[in-house]
Amino acid sequence: HVQLVESGGGSVQAGGSLRLSCAISKFTVRNYCMAWFRQAPGKEREEVAHIDSDSSTDYAEGVKGRFGISVEAGNNLYLQMNNLQPEDTAMYSCAVGSGHCWMQRGFTYWGQGTQVTVS
């Protein structure tokens, strides 16, 4: 079955960088949407960024210019996070779904998450 495993979280000082990874197994569809979400304590989960199988990307307003999403070989999803700020503190999770992002079919598979703490 499909599995997503995140890594790369940790604690950094404001202005620092982290690179999150999401290893994706047994997800073999031609058209897909992959995304990173985050949820801070007491707040709703929000989508941080997504990438389509056609290589198009989109970002939440608060991370544009600081975060970069990429995918390698269709089974490794990354989130490069630069100039991190305390408000970026959250549990970050990766998610994947079949179909292009613009189809808005939702995300079928989710990882367990990795904690990012910025002080």
Side-chain angles (χ1 to χ4, degrees):
H1 59 282
V2 178
Q3 286 189 315
L4 283 68
V5 179
E6 301 96 336
S7 61
S11 297
V12 296
Q13 293 187 335
S17 298
L18 283 173
R19 188 191 194 205
L20 304 184
S21 299
C22 175
I24 305 164
S25 59
K26 300 183 180 180
F27 183 68
T28 54
V29 298
R30 182 175 181 178
N31 299 318
Y32 58 76
C33 185
M34 297 183 177
W36 286 97
F37 287 79
R38 68 184 180 186
Q39 187 167 21
K43 294 187 177 181
E44 293 188 356
R45 184 174 63 194
E46 65 170 339
E47 182 180 299
V48 175
H50 67 243
I51 185 166
D52 195 291
S53 48
D54 65 9
S55 300
S56 61
T57 59
D58 198 13
Y59 298 88
E61 282 299 322
V63 307
K64 283 182 179 179
R66 300 190 297 124
F67 289 13
I69 188 171
S70 61
V71 61
E72 180 181 273
N75 56 11
N76 285 287
L77 181 68
Y78 303 102
L79 185 69
Q80 177 67 43
M81 305 186 294
N82 299 323
N83 190 22
L84 283 160
Q85 300 300 313
E87 54 265 34
D88 296 316
T89 295
M91 179 71 74
Y92 285 72
S93 301
C94 56
V96 301
S98 61
H100 292 292
C101 295
W102 57 265
M103 294 178 175
Q104 297 185 339
R105 291 181 178 176
F107 298 94
T108 307
Y109 304 101
W110 294 78
Q112 292 297 312
T114 185
Q115 179 67 38
V116 172
T117 303
V118 186
S119 59

